[in-house]
Amino acid sequence: MDIQQFYEHAARRAEQIINLIADRQYDKLPAVTGAIYLGWGERKPAEEELASLGKCLDAQLKLLSEDSGQAYVIDPYEPRHFQIMEDGDVERTCATYNPHSHGEPLDFWFEFEFSLGKDGEIVSEIAINV
């Protein structure tokens, strides 16, 4: 896999993850991400962090909704909000995604780490920076 293919696969994986989060299908995340990190403690397998992830995101959106008087959601994936660090490493790279609600930026973001697994597949980890 060349560097451009690696970046394209990473972007597709980020799209899958963000769309699952936007659809609130947190239980399906372990199929597309290896670990979830909520910004405190240590990284844990996605299966162990699912409940915390859903609670964290739902609480953040609820708080924003209460403050503004309008419902906040996470919009589906939008490529222009995804930024990959193109450092030329075909085995590991980082990226960020700035989620939006109804087209307006939210005040938290997602951080990704992508690496090339033993089988040539992309392995992804996601962190939420609240």
Side-chain angles (χ1 to χ4, degrees):
M1 175 179 309
D2 70 24
I3 193 71
Q4 193 57 40
Q5 290 172 319
F6 178 68
Y7 292 154
E8 289 169 5
H9 284 292
R12 280 196 297 275
R13 180 61 57 87
E15 180 177 7
Q16 290 175 308
I17 292 168
I18 296 302
N19 284 336
L20 286 172
I21 290 172
D23 291 339
R24 299 182 67 198
Q25 295 181 350
Y26 308 124
D27 60 325
K28 294 184 180 179
L29 285 171
V32 293
T33 191
I36 296 171
Y37 181 65
L38 297 176
W40 57 88
E42 57 189 66
R43 293 181 191 272
K44 296 181 182 175
E47 293 89 353
E48 293 179 25
E49 285 291 346
L50 288 176
S52 296
L53 171 73
K55 287 178 186 174
C56 176
L57 287 174
D58 291 345
Q60 185 69 21
L61 295 172
K62 181 180 178 184
L63 181 66
L64 292 170
S65 296
E66 289 172 353
D67 286 347
S68 71
Q70 67 177 3
Y72 274 76
V73 297
I74 293 180
D75 293 343
Y77 180 83
E78 179 63 48
R80 65 186 166 162
H81 303 307
F82 179 72
Q83 181 66 45
I84 196 161
M85 185 172 55
E86 295 185 8
D87 58 3
D89 186 350
V90 75
E91 294 184 9
R92 181 171 218 79
T93 195
C94 297
T96 59
Y97 185 81
N98 297 310
H100 286 61
S101 178
H102 306 291
E104 296 296 320
L106 294 169
D107 57 357
F108 60 91
W109 64 93
F110 299 104
E111 296 174 350
F112 294 94
E113 284 188 25
F114 299 104
S115 58
L116 198 55
K118 294 175 188 170
D119 58 0
E121 287 294 313
I122 296 286
V123 176
S124 59
E125 296 182 5
I126 183 173
I128 302 170
N129 227 319
V130 178

